[in-house]
Amino acid sequence: MNGPNDDNGSGRLVLGVARSANDNAWRERLSSSEALNAMTIAQRSGLPDVLARVMAARGVAPDHAEEFLAPSLKNLMPDPSRLVAMDQAVARVADAVQRGTRIAIFGDYDVDGATSSAVLARYLRWMGLDPVIHIPDRIIEGYGPNGPAIEALKQGGAGLLVTVDCGSTSFEAFDVAARLGLDVVVLDHHQVGETLPPVEALVNPNRQDDLSGQGHLAAVGVTFLFLVGLNRELRSRGFFNGRQAPDLMLLLDLVALGTVCDVVPLKGLNRAYVTRGLAVMHQRLNPGLSGLADVARVAGKPAPYHLGFLLGPRINAGGRIGDAALGARLLTCDDASEARAIAERLDQLNSERQAMEAVMLEQADAQAALSMEAQEPSVLITGSEDWHPGIVGLIASRLKEAHKRPAFAIAYDGDGKGTGSGRSISGVDLGRAVRKAVDLGLLEKGGGHAMAAGLTVMRDKADDLAAYFNEELATEVDQASAHRDLKIDAALTATGATLELMEMLERAGPYGAGHSEPVFAFPAHRISFADVVGNGHVRASIAAPDGTALKAICFKAEDRPHGQMLLSRRGSNVHVAGTLSIDTWQGTPKVQLRILDVADPQKVRL
């Protein structure tokens, strides 16, 4: 698979591809030291070379190969008490359970918030309680706890408030709770500063005094750890005497869904959560998840792809443009017919969201094209009064992918106040730049992390903001753009893309954020078929030199360089790079290639 070294010494080219259709250099994912590890893993464990390469490239050391292939919750789950304030949180909620106190759950409007809320609510129902869930409206209430909602929950009889996936910075809202005499327990995972709101207990592995090493967990993962501690505490108090303690493993389907959709690294405990959770999901024990899978046409064994791209977007659609509480309501529903009705409503909202997104994206693309013609800005900023604020993050992501630079999409209201969302490229810290813009008075508010950020800006400051971003991030963007690589795990032919290979690769999964899906290069395969299907996708078939065919799909690529090359080079040989999956359409499992990039064999370095 090796090609010549590239000019900057960052690795070896694959098939000599220094510049693909998408302007990528194809490089070996394995470093020289990882290649030695791969060889050692194969020799010691008797594993096939391709599996050993995939494992070594994802940081698996030879001594840990066996345990990596069988991730165990028992071995990977820490004692919940290692998290700061966990014991206080457990004790306070255990008191409420024993007293039969009405507990209010305040969640976020994304999938992590919905699953966290559902996991906690289902457990409390098993304890005989009737918890109430409040998910704030994205537009009217915004993110996190707010005073009016807390007052309403208190008036509704809540004696304890538990916030999930939010609350670590809710000072004003919790002042209201304190005034009302309502105790608060926070279960969160977001980055926070040194000063925390005064609450009964704030559990967050990313608080600065927490040394548990669990900062990679999604909120639903933190919530599950909390339930492990709560279950243990209630057992020690004799709460389960005479009856069976609940089986927490039955909640792992929800934990897996939230973990995948919050795009946290699928390493360590997260990987064990998802591995076990997918197995639970396959049993279809949760009527809400089953109903959603049916309307999303998820067939066969669920995989992270189904969670992240089919189930998650439908739950998010409620929070983006409809009723934010629909997702949590679906995931806590035990009536199959009611669950089906909610799932169908979410599916409808998702279709409406897709239609709105298509119109917004067309307008954003036009704005971006004008900007690129005028000055090729380091950061793209687009906006309109006609855009829905619940969809701007999706638009920013599309622009970032298309133009290979950070991008913002901003929805303005009638008063000129804009709600925006930004997405970045690797190597450019967007959150830092946004926080600095707040300090400079260019933004009303804003925050985020390296790869994503949100902001509120007045329209009359939009030009100044654009100038600031282009000056502040120019060097980072230039440096990041100079090294545009597609990492390749191994070279294959269509003949080698078998179900046996997929079963082997599955042992090193599940794949997702921080544990990327293997990418394979297919040298000089003939494009025997290519056509446009659906919403701008390119369907294709490629053939190995021996004639073996492999069906392929290239998502949203009709107008992208790699899609255009596929369509224009029918009958010709091209190098193809992509990931493999199993297609169970019509009940017969077949290997399918998802094409990420293509390259002309005549334009490579020899």
mmCIF file of all heavy atoms in Angstrom, residues 190-191 422 424 428-432 435 447-454:
data_model
loop_
_atom_site.group_PDB
_atom_site.id
_atom_site.type_symbol
_atom_site.label_atom_id
_atom_site.label_comp_id
_atom_site.label_asym_id
_atom_site.label_seq_id
_atom_site.Cartn_x
_atom_site.Cartn_y
_atom_site.Cartn_z
ATOM 1 N N HIS A 190 -20.595 19.313 30.612
ATOM 2 C CA HIS A 190 -20.032 20.418 29.848
ATOM 3 C C HIS A 190 -18.850 21.071 30.572
ATOM 4 O O HIS A 190 -18.744 21.012 31.793
ATOM 5 C CB HIS A 190 -21.114 21.477 29.573
ATOM 6 C CG HIS A 190 -22.167 21.001 28.621
ATOM 7 N ND1 HIS A 190 -23.381 20.512 29.038
ATOM 8 C CD2 HIS A 190 -22.179 20.926 27.264
ATOM 9 C CE1 HIS A 190 -24.105 20.164 27.987
ATOM 10 N NE2 HIS A 190 -23.386 20.400 26.899
ATOM 11 N N GLN A 191 -17.983 21.701 29.784
ATOM 12 C CA GLN A 191 -16.840 22.410 30.351
ATOM 13 C C GLN A 191 -17.344 23.548 31.232
ATOM 14 O O GLN A 191 -18.286 24.255 30.887
ATOM 15 C CB GLN A 191 -15.966 22.990 29.231
ATOM 16 C CG GLN A 191 -15.375 21.946 28.300
ATOM 17 C CD GLN A 191 -14.244 21.157 28.941
ATOM 18 O OE1 GLN A 191 -13.643 21.598 29.909
ATOM 19 N NE2 GLN A 191 -13.962 19.994 28.389
ATOM 20 N N GLY A 422 -21.638 27.890 14.719
ATOM 21 C CA GLY A 422 -20.449 27.735 13.896
ATOM 22 C C GLY A 422 -19.869 26.344 14.002
ATOM 23 O O GLY A 422 -20.011 25.673 15.022
ATOM 24 N N SER A 424 -16.141 24.167 12.948
ATOM 25 C CA SER A 424 -14.753 24.411 12.596
ATOM 26 C C SER A 424 -14.115 23.201 11.938
ATOM 27 O O SER A 424 -14.706 22.124 11.846
ATOM 28 C CB SER A 424 -13.955 24.804 13.841
ATOM 29 O OG SER A 424 -12.693 25.337 13.479
ATOM 30 N N VAL A 428 -8.354 24.411 14.180
ATOM 31 C CA VAL A 428 -8.817 25.791 14.355
ATOM 32 C C VAL A 428 -9.779 25.836 15.537
ATOM 33 O O VAL A 428 -10.863 25.243 15.481
ATOM 34 C CB VAL A 428 -9.514 26.321 13.082
ATOM 35 C CG1 VAL A 428 -9.972 27.763 13.303
ATOM 36 C CG2 VAL A 428 -8.577 26.239 11.887
ATOM 37 N N ASP A 429 -9.387 26.526 16.606
ATOM 38 C CA ASP A 429 -10.178 26.584 17.840
ATOM 39 C C ASP A 429 -11.221 27.687 17.739
ATOM 40 O O ASP A 429 -10.946 28.861 18.029
ATOM 41 C CB ASP A 429 -9.254 26.823 19.036
ATOM 42 C CG ASP A 429 -9.972 26.640 20.376
ATOM 43 O OD1 ASP A 429 -11.214 26.698 20.399
ATOM 44 O OD2 ASP A 429 -9.276 26.450 21.390
ATOM 45 N N LEU A 430 -12.428 27.296 17.339
ATOM 46 C CA LEU A 430 -13.494 28.269 17.129
ATOM 47 C C LEU A 430 -14.041 28.802 18.452
ATOM 48 O O LEU A 430 -14.355 29.988 18.576
ATOM 49 C CB LEU A 430 -14.618 27.621 16.314
ATOM 50 C CG LEU A 430 -15.552 28.560 15.550
ATOM 51 C CD1 LEU A 430 -14.762 29.399 14.564
ATOM 52 C CD2 LEU A 430 -16.618 27.766 14.811
ATOM 53 N N GLY A 431 -14.143 27.925 19.464
ATOM 54 C CA GLY A 431 -14.680 28.349 20.754
ATOM 55 C C GLY A 431 -13.851 29.448 21.383
ATOM 56 O O GLY A 431 -14.401 30.410 21.937
ATOM 57 N N ARG A 432 -12.536 29.334 21.300
ATOM 58 C CA ARG A 432 -11.653 30.366 21.856
ATOM 59 C C ARG A 432 -11.892 31.707 21.175
ATOM 60 O O ARG A 432 -11.986 32.749 21.835
ATOM 61 C CB ARG A 432 -10.196 29.950 21.675
ATOM 62 C CG ARG A 432 -9.190 30.991 22.153
ATOM 63 C CD ARG A 432 -7.786 30.683 21.657
ATOM 64 N NE ARG A 432 -7.701 30.647 20.210
ATOM 65 C CZ ARG A 432 -7.636 31.745 19.444
ATOM 66 N NH1 ARG A 432 -7.672 32.945 19.990
ATOM 67 N NH2 ARG A 432 -7.564 31.618 18.136
ATOM 68 N N ARG A 435 -15.243 33.220 22.358
ATOM 69 C CA ARG A 435 -15.166 33.785 23.712
ATOM 70 C C ARG A 435 -14.423 35.115 23.715
ATOM 71 O O ARG A 435 -14.794 36.054 24.433
ATOM 72 C CB ARG A 435 -14.500 32.780 24.653
ATOM 73 C CG ARG A 435 -15.370 31.553 24.948
ATOM 74 C CD ARG A 435 -14.787 30.693 26.056
ATOM 75 N NE ARG A 435 -13.537 30.056 25.681
ATOM 76 C CZ ARG A 435 -13.436 28.892 25.064
ATOM 77 N NH1 ARG A 435 -14.540 28.218 24.759
ATOM 78 N NH2 ARG A 435 -12.261 28.367 24.755
ATOM 79 N N GLY A 447 -20.120 31.069 23.122
ATOM 80 C CA GLY A 447 -19.259 30.082 23.755
ATOM 81 C C GLY A 447 -19.194 28.837 22.906
ATOM 82 O O GLY A 447 -19.765 28.776 21.813
ATOM 83 N N GLY A 448 -18.482 27.839 23.398
ATOM 84 C CA GLY A 448 -18.377 26.590 22.661
ATOM 85 C C GLY A 448 -17.042 25.935 22.896
ATOM 86 O O GLY A 448 -16.327 26.253 23.845
ATOM 87 N N HIS A 449 -16.689 25.030 22.000
ATOM 88 C CA HIS A 449 -15.402 24.349 22.098
ATOM 89 C C HIS A 449 -14.694 24.455 20.754
ATOM 90 O O HIS A 449 -15.114 25.215 19.881
ATOM 91 C CB HIS A 449 -15.579 22.900 22.544
ATOM 92 C CG HIS A 449 -16.562 22.118 21.731
ATOM 93 N ND1 HIS A 449 -16.258 21.577 20.510
ATOM 94 C CD2 HIS A 449 -17.861 21.800 21.973
ATOM 95 C CE1 HIS A 449 -17.313 20.946 20.024
ATOM 96 N NE2 HIS A 449 -18.295 21.054 20.876
ATOM 97 N N ALA A 450 -13.599 23.728 20.597
ATOM 98 C CA ALA A 450 -12.753 23.914 19.423
ATOM 99 C C ALA A 450 -13.503 23.725 18.111
ATOM 100 O O ALA A 450 -13.316 24.491 17.167
ATOM 101 C CB ALA A 450 -11.564 22.961 19.486
ATOM 102 N N MET A 451 -14.369 22.728 18.036
ATOM 103 C CA MET A 451 -14.987 22.366 16.765
ATOM 104 C C MET A 451 -16.377 22.947 16.535
ATOM 105 O O MET A 451 -16.893 22.877 15.425
ATOM 106 C CB MET A 451 -15.061 20.845 16.643
ATOM 107 C CG MET A 451 -13.695 20.160 16.671
ATOM 108 S SD MET A 451 -12.618 20.673 15.335
ATOM 109 C CE MET A 451 -13.425 19.909 13.933
ATOM 110 N N ALA A 452 -16.995 23.497 17.571
ATOM 111 C CA ALA A 452 -18.355 24.035 17.414
ATOM 112 C C ALA A 452 -18.577 25.162 18.410
ATOM 113 O O ALA A 452 -18.049 25.132 19.521
ATOM 114 C CB ALA A 452 -19.397 22.938 17.618
ATOM 115 N N ALA A 453 -19.362 26.143 18.002
ATOM 116 C CA ALA A 453 -19.625 27.289 18.878
ATOM 117 C C ALA A 453 -20.986 27.886 18.544
ATOM 118 O O ALA A 453 -21.507 27.717 17.438
ATOM 119 C CB ALA A 453 -18.532 28.351 18.724
ATOM 120 N N GLY A 454 -21.553 28.570 19.519
ATOM 121 C CA GLY A 454 -22.798 29.290 19.321
ATOM 122 C C GLY A 454 -22.607 30.733 19.713
ATOM 123 O O GLY A 454 -21.729 31.072 20.526
#
